[in-house]
Amino acid sequence: MSDNPDIIHPRGRSFGAYWMCLPKRDFLPDRDQIDLAQLKEILPSFVILQYESPSMIRFRLAGTDEVKRYGFEVTGRNYLDFVPDERKAEALQTFETMLRHPCGSRNLIETVTSSGRIVINEAIGYPMRGSDGRADQLIFQSNDIEGKLEPYQRRDVVAQHRRLRERRFIDIGAGLPSLTV
């Protein structure tokens, strides 16, 4: 992993550049404006989350790389089920900040696999409006940047997103939120 926290994985940079060029209303694109086929080379590494309540952040879509990382289809599941209880409030605050402020985020997440290995994952995310026009969805592109699981290790899957190593909010035109997480 790079010692420079400002360096973003090239796939994350590509996604960020695409997202910033989308047409927006009050800083947010509508979900139907996002054409993931234009990002076909990184399509397997996306998830779309929907904020339904403080206790339910539903996976609306998970790319094939993400399904392999978890070891099963996560679409429809609650993201918070993969977060330790002591970190759920922090995760929830990030999602709420991204939707209310609005802003993007870059997160370095320490994940523990089923075999006990540590994988550091970079997740770049941005808010968007669902089909009903509400700002309640988040799209994330994910890259393992340290301890990457190789194809022969695919049975070694995500057990828990144990801790956040770093979070930086990304200004998408509305400025940065005042809180620091």
Side-chain angles (χ1 to χ4, degrees), residues 97-118:
T97 298
M98 290 173 69
L99 292 167
R100 281 194 316 247
H101 185 75
C103 60
S105 71
R106 176 184 182 254
N107 307 284
L108 294 181
I109 303 165
E110 183 177 294
T111 298
V112 179
T113 70
S114 53
S115 72
R117 284 176 17 102
I118 302 297

Side-chain angles (χ1 to χ4, degrees), residues 42-157:
I42 58 177
L43 179 62
S45 63
F46 280 96
V47 298
I48 295 177
L49 302 173
Q50 182 163 356
Y51 181 98
E52 294 180 7
S53 74
S55 61
M56 175 55 91
I57 310 297
R58 188 177 308 277
F59 281 98
R60 300 299 293 169
L61 174 118
T64 55
D65 285 355
E66 293 304 299
V67 170
K68 288 175 187 174
R69 288 182 79 244
Y70 284 93
F72 56 90
E73 179 59 67
V74 293
T75 300
R77 300 279 307 261
N78 187 351
Y79 174 84
L80 296 173
D81 289 345
F82 300 95
V83 178
D85 288 341
E86 64 272 10
R87 204 175 79 68
K88 285 182 182 180
E90 176 185 44
L92 183 63
Q93 180 184 34
T94 297
F95 296 144
E96 289 174 344
T97 298
M98 290 173 69
L99 292 167
R100 281 194 316 247
H101 185 75
C103 60
S105 71
R106 176 184 182 254
N107 307 284
L108 294 181
I109 303 165
E110 183 177 294
T111 298
V112 179
T113 70
S114 53
S115 72
R117 284 176 17 102
I118 302 297
V119 175
I120 306 303
N121 182 268
E122 176 190 69
I124 306 288
Y126 297 95
M128 62 186 174
R129 296 179 188 285
S131 59
D132 61 2
R134 292 183 322 161
D136 65 354
Q137 296 191 17
L138 301 153
I139 183 168
F140 282 89
Q141 192 278 325
S142 167
N143 299 290
D144 289 340
I145 58 173
E146 187 176 301
K148 182 178 179 176
L149 295 176
E150 299 300 328
Y152 63 86
Q153 297 170 316
R154 287 296 184 200
R155 284 183 264 201
D156 191 15
V157 297

Side-chain angles (χ1 to χ4, degrees), residues 2 19 30 32 40 52 76 132 140 163:
S2 169
W19 190 92
D30 292 328
D32 63 3
K40 62 184 173 197
E52 294 180 7
D132 61 2
F140 282 89
R163 97 182 160 96

